[in-house]
Structures are given as C-alpha cells and as structure tokens.
C-alpha cells in the first residue's frame, strides 16, 4: 500500500513542527521517497543522530514488510 507525500510530511511535522520539509517521490510509484528535513533541533547532532530522530517519527510506517513506507532517502541538517 502506497503512502502519500502529505502523510509523510505530517508525520515528520508532528515531531519537528518548525522544520522545512521537502518530500519527493523518486520513482512516481508512491513507494520510493526522498525527504529533506531542516530543523534547528539538529544543531550539534551528527547526521546519524539527526536521521534517527526523523526515522523515529516514521517508525510505525516503516515497520518491516508491513509498513506503508518502504524506501526513504533522507537528508537532514540544521539551518544555515
């Protein structure tokens, strides 16, 4: 079952309400996504810590083969 870009953004925004979030459907199939999340809360964290925080917001949707979100290329950073 495919997931919509808006749902991915809403899940991330629930955890990072002030973030700049860009969601891109990489394959046009609703299964392969890219997300860029820019948030002040990432300042001082390394990339792994930043990405773990975003994945935690999505964990129910990425739960193994039953999850609606199968592939997510994630870019995270603090604002410049």
């Amino acid at each position: 079952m495919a997931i919509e870009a808006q749902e991915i953004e809403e899940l991330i925004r629930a955890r990072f309400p002030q973030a700049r979030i860009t969601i891109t459907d990489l394959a046009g199939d609703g299964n392969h996504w890219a997300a860029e999340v820019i948030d002040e809360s990432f300042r001082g964290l390394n990339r792994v810590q930043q990405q773990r925080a975003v994945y935690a917001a999505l964990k129910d949707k990425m739960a193994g083969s039953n999850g609606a979100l199968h592939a997510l290329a994630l870019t995270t950073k603090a604002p410049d």
Side-chain angles (χ1 to χ4, degrees):
M1 179 175 189
I3 188 169
E4 299 291 326
Q6 181 178 349
E7 185 176 0
I8 297 169
E9 182 173 345
E10 288 170 358
L11 291 166
I12 295 171
R13 190 155 311 283
R15 172 67 176 83
F16 304 97
Q18 302 301 316
R20 289 191 321 232
I21 302 169
T22 304
I23 307 294
T24 306
D25 187 344
L26 296 174
D29 62 3
N31 286 319
H32 299 85
W33 296 96
E36 179 181 56
V37 183
I38 302 170
D39 192 71
E40 184 60 40
S41 70
F42 296 148
R43 193 167 307 283
L45 300 179
N46 66 41
R47 298 267 172 161
V48 171
Q49 292 168 321
Q50 294 171 17
Q51 292 184 1
R52 282 183 179 162
V54 175
Y55 283 128
L58 299 169
K59 81 172 187 178
D60 291 340
K61 295 295 179 182
M62 297 189 81
S65 61
N66 295 325
L69 182 55
H70 300 289
L72 179 68
L74 185 56
T75 302
T76 56
K77 63 180 183 176
D80 294 330

